[in-house]
Amino acid sequence: MSETKPILLQLLALPILPDAQKRLEKRYHCLRLWEAEDPNRLMRDHGGQVEVLIASAFHPARAALIDQLPELKAICSLGVGYDSIDVEHAHARGIQVSNTPDVLNDCVADLAWGLILATMRGMGRAERFVREGKWENQLASLPLGKRVTGKRLGIVGLGRVGLAVAQRASGFAMDLRYHNRRPRADVAWTYESDLLALAAWSDILVVATVGGPDTRHLIDRRVLEALGPEGVLINVARGSVVDEKALIEALESGLIAGAGLDVFESEPHVPDALKALDNAVLMPHIASATLETRQAMVNLLVENAESYARSGKVLTPVPRSVT
Ligand code: 8YV
């Protein structure tokens, strides 16, 4: 083990960007937890010296882990969402936390639009129809889809991703309103302070807000009821934002028309009841999963770790005020 380099604990591999691992190893002595024969022993032997931790949405840094690392100074997380990190706990100990904002906005917004189109036009159902030989054999007919162009688009959470979703709506001649903690001064779209009113107004409601305790089950039965039997819900944020049980009931009973989901309450588990529904389009949390975007995310994660090694400060810190 190098005596001079600070110790970095990695909860995940960084294979997508050639050189990412080398760049980390230039600055740090890297401990790769997932490769350790005895992870508990590695934590016992070296946890006391770890200065930087690499985490992600799928590789959480909860308080219990943070507490095993008394010398920890920075957590660098892959992904924009940081609900998998106990940020308040880290900040209370003076530990900096970084995420990878902005670089994934376009791809997440693209997938939101993919889900809008797929859900409204019944593309999943239609594809299954072809694959199952129902078209060739004229075994059944497909229900008609819903026109997308000209519809009313409601966005819950007009942050970085929500804005990219909104910008793409102009090609579809849509009327657009949004709900946020507060109105944005830099956009002309109508702000709706009341989420129920936004849902009642919308044909399509896109959830692009942050996850975590503050937004847990923000989309509940009442919101779904307001969205109504012609309404469609799209979620590219976090599964926790939607009451999944209420959503399943709403899809089963026709309380809403359909849902396009990239995220679920306890991933990777997707309830069988959801899988059985033809009016739901289900994706395995792939919104940022393009080569270009994942490379940019890994690059920004490494830049954060490099910046900390150089200057003692991460590059894109998760702000204290929102935690
Ligand atoms: C990633 C995400 O799949 O950025 C996020 O918050 O949920 C996704 O982009 C994930 O973070 C990869 O670790």
Side-chain angles (χ1 to χ4, degrees), residues 72-87:
L72 188 66
K73 302 286 186 300
I75 301 172
C76 300
S77 183
L78 183 70
V80 66
Y82 42 82
D83 50 318
S84 61
I85 318 281
D86 204 331
V87 176

Side-chain angles (χ1 to χ4, degrees), residues 221-282:
R221 192 196 143 83
R222 288 181 327 141
V223 176
L224 297 170
E225 205 170 358
L227 186 56
E230 296 302 321
V232 157
L233 180 81
I234 305 296
N235 189 5
V236 290
R238 282 290 182 265
S240 60
V241 184
V242 176
D243 179 343
E244 207 164 73
K245 194 166 164 279
L247 175 63
I248 291 168
E249 283 167 10
L251 288 166
E252 283 173 345
S253 66
L255 191 66
I256 66 168
L261 309 170
D262 186 46
V263 286
F264 301 88
E265 275 206 74
S266 73
E267 293 173 10
H269 172 67
V270 177
D272 287 340
L274 256 184
K275 290 184 202 158
L277 283 164
D278 228 18
N279 55 349
V281 176
L282 312 173

